[in-house]
Amino acid sequence: METRLAVIAIIVENPDSVEALNALLHEYGSVIIGRMGIPYHAKGVNLISVAVDAPMDAISTLSGKIGRLEGVSAKVAYSRV
């Protein structure tokens, strides 16, 4: 199956959703290339970028599941590769 490279940008505004977010990222760990998280204490949020190499439907599913978490938003940027 053809895979795509993408970056999922995640903003966590509700700290109670972090455990569920980490569980989702663990579930999709086989397609995650790497991740970087930045706590922004001045605004009380966490900014996370997750690089993935996966089929488009898996990326969309993961992004959708993340976006349905309370106080969490996610957007995907796909590469052309």
Side-chain angles (χ1 to χ4, degrees):
M1 181 174 281
E2 184 178 337
T3 62
R4 296 280 303 269
L5 295 175
V7 176
I8 305 173
I10 305 167
I11 300 175
V12 181
E13 297 174 342
N14 181 358
D16 294 334
S17 294
V18 171
E19 187 175 336
L21 173 60
N22 282 329
L24 278 173
L25 295 177
H26 179 74
E27 179 183 339
Y28 284 81
S30 63
V31 298
I32 293 175
I33 300 167
R35 67 190 255 192
M36 176 181 60
I38 303 169
Y40 188 35
H41 300 293
K43 297 286 185 177
V45 299
N46 292 298
L47 309 170
I48 303 167
S49 61
V50 180
V52 295
D53 182 3
M56 282 192 64
D57 61 334
I59 297 169
S60 296
T61 300
L62 174 58
S63 177
K65 287 180 178 181
I66 291 170
R68 285 191 293 276
L69 296 174
E70 179 79 27
V72 180
S73 57
K75 297 292 179 187
V76 181
Y78 292 95
S79 76
R80 291 186 173 89
V81 178

